[in-house]
Amino acid sequence: MLRSLMLAASRSGRLRTFAENTPLLRPVVDRFVVGTTTDQVLAVAREITTDRLVTIDHLGEDVTDRSRAEANADAYRALLRGLDGLGPRVEVSVKLSALGQALAGTDGEKVALDHARRICEAAHAVGTTVTVDMEDHTTTDSTLGIVRDLRVDHPWVGAVLQAGLRRTEADCRDLAGSRVRLCKGAYDEPASVAFRERHDVDLSYVRCLKILMAGDGLPMVATHDPVLIDIARHLGRGRPYEIQMLHGVRPHEQRDLAAAGESVRVYLPYGTEWYGYFVRRLAERPANLAFFARSLLTR
Ligand code: FAD
């Protein structure tokens, strides 16, 4: 119930504008978001890559005008130009809704594909890769279609699949020969398309993991769940895979896994449009709300 309410709040334009223009919140947000500028995120990426890998997300989503989509694509290209030898240890993650996928009219998908293509070219030029984040289930077909188009020229483009969706086992079968990040799913989805019980999502995650680990691609195991990580390590013995976690979540475990020889990639978001991302992180764990309230009260 609380999670659903928070996830509904994460889509509210009014709350977004209020929160992003309230400087008081920024220090609290900093646990999950590394800063607002390219220089800040690259400094943190450089530090992390001493023992782990990184995927950088220039925050933004659900853009409703073309100029914003263009600005987001430009920001990614500038970021990639600044990688300066960090590729392929540092790649980027992009949300197609930040690149215009949902623009009113009929050509939103084409706008997003064109921008994503140019980001892939910029990534290729500096020797790194791109992963296309997955948003709510209404975008899954469109997003996988765009990933398919991008892979014609750039077969290394990563897709994201959400174990919470009922369709995902079948999608895993289709994509098991490629780079696939498997996560539980961060959106509030209806029972008609998604498992609503955590236990069912976990069981689906394991079934999907088995399919990806039996394929020829690169499974990217995006979870902080220690049980699922143990299962992934067991299934992945002797084959390449990555464990991926979010910046600010279980950092000690990230470093321990890296020290144990695992390939660990940290998802590193930055930028001024942090609202939707931040509220989804609060929704994932009720204790984060207490952390948030405490941080505000003690300021
Ligand atoms: P949970 O069962 O939620 O958590 C397991 C344990 O991890 C918790 O008990 C807690 O100790 C810790 N934990 C988890 N989340 C938090 C948190 N926010 N704060 C503090 N502790 C926490 N979702 C999408 O829908 N699309 C994407 O493209 C996408 N990309 C992702 C990329 C990466 C690298 C990661 C790690 C996640 C991504 N997600 C994405 C989010 C994902 O779907 C889940 O919402 C999120 O990872 C929480 O699920 P969990 O697997 O960690 O398991």
Side-chain angles (χ1 to χ4, degrees), residues 145-218:
I146 291 174
V147 167
R148 215 172 295 122
D149 288 345
L150 293 171
R151 284 179 170 176
V152 172
D153 291 323
H154 306 292
W156 39 260
V157 169
V160 178
L161 296 176
Q162 297 153 320
L165 296 187
R166 297 178 190 277
R167 60 177 285 165
T168 294
E169 260 185 270
D171 289 332
C172 285
R173 271 184 217 103
D174 285 349
L175 298 176
S178 64
R179 291 178 71 238
V180 177
R181 176 196 298 158
L182 180 65
C183 63
K184 289 188 184 178
Y187 298 84
D188 193 28
E189 305 285 16
S192 54
V193 297
F195 302 107
R196 299 282 301 174
E197 299 297 327
R198 293 180 80 89
H199 182 63
D200 292 332
V201 176
D202 292 350
L203 291 177
S204 165
Y205 199 107
V206 175
R207 291 194 298 274
C208 292
L209 255 185
K210 285 183 176 165
I211 296 168
L212 295 179
M213 289 290 190
D216 297 328
L218 180 72

Side-chain angles (χ1 to χ4, degrees), residues 92-96 99 101 109-124 129-133 142-160 178-179:
V92 295
S93 284
V94 300
K95 282 190 176 48
L96 294 177
L99 303 181
Q101 186 182 30
E109 286 190 0
K110 185 180 173 315
V111 171
L113 173 61
D114 288 348
H115 285 318
R117 233 186 222 130
R118 284 191 283 141
I119 292 170
C120 289
E121 283 155 14
H124 179 65
T129 50
V130 175
T131 296
V132 179
D133 284 355
S142 160
T143 298
L144 292 181
I146 291 174
V147 167
R148 215 172 295 122
D149 288 345
L150 293 171
R151 284 179 170 176
V152 172
D153 291 323
H154 306 292
W156 39 260
V157 169
V160 178
S178 64
R179 291 178 71 238

Side-chain angles (χ1 to χ4, degrees), residues 33-278:
V33 175
V34 292
T36 54
T37 67
T38 309
D39 284 349
Q40 284 171 319
V41 76
L42 287 176
V44 177
R46 224 164 261 125
E47 218 175 286
I48 293 176
T49 51
T50 54
D51 65 342
R52 286 155 290 165
L53 308 167
V54 167
T55 183
I56 299 180
D57 171 23
H58 171 75
L59 290 166
E61 54 195 83
D62 297 337
V63 303
T64 51
D65 68 88
R66 279 163 198 271
S67 58
R68 194 67 238 158
E70 180 95 40
N72 284 336
D74 288 347
Y76 269 107
R77 291 209 303 277
L79 169 69
L80 285 160
R81 280 195 299 275
L83 281 192
D84 191 22
L86 283 174
R89 292 183 68 76
V90 178
E91 65 142 29
V92 295
S93 284
V94 300
K95 282 190 176 48
L96 294 177
S97 79
L99 303 181
Q101 186 182 30
L103 285 177
T106 52
D107 68 345
E109 286 190 0
K110 185 180 173 315
V111 171
L113 173 61
D114 288 348
H115 285 318
R117 233 186 222 130
R118 284 191 283 141
I119 292 170
C120 289
E121 283 155 14
H124 179 65
V126 296
T128 195
T129 50
V130 175
T131 296
V132 179
D133 284 355
M134 189 58 80
E135 300 177 68
D136 72 70
H137 81 278
T138 62
T139 66
T140 310
D141 282 326
S142 160
T143 298
L144 292 181
I146 291 174
V147 167
R148 215 172 295 122
D149 288 345
L150 293 171
R151 284 179 170 176
V152 172
D153 291 323
H154 306 292
W156 39 260
V157 169
V160 178
L161 296 176
Q162 297 153 320
L165 296 187
R166 297 178 190 277
R167 60 177 285 165
T168 294
E169 260 185 270
D171 289 332
C172 285
R173 271 184 217 103
D174 285 349
L175 298 176
S178 64
R179 291 178 71 238
V180 177
R181 176 196 298 158
L182 180 65
C183 63
K184 289 188 184 178
Y187 298 84
D188 193 28
E189 305 285 16
S192 54
V193 297
F195 302 107
R196 299 282 301 174
E197 299 297 327
R198 293 180 80 89
H199 182 63
D200 292 332
V201 176
D202 292 350
L203 291 177
S204 165
Y205 199 107
V206 175
R207 291 194 298 274
C208 292
L209 255 185
K210 285 183 176 165
I211 296 168
L212 295 179
M213 289 290 190
D216 297 328
L218 180 72
M220 301 184 281
V221 183
T223 183
H224 313 94
D225 187 326
V227 175
L228 293 179
I229 291 173
D230 282 350
I231 293 172
R233 294 178 80 185
H234 176 74
L235 292 172
R237 220 176 282 153
R239 58 152 301 144
Y241 66 93
E242 283 180 6
I243 294 171
Q244 300 194 343
M245 296 199 204
L246 303 176
H247 173 71
V249 181
R250 303 190 77 211
H252 301 298
E253 286 79 1
Q254 293 180 17
R255 285 192 288 267
D256 288 350
L257 285 164
E262 295 293 337
S263 207
V264 178
R265 193 178 290 274
V266 182
Y267 188 100
L268 202 58
Y270 80 106
T272 52
E273 294 185 27
W274 46 261
Y275 176 77
Y277 179 87
F278 175 67

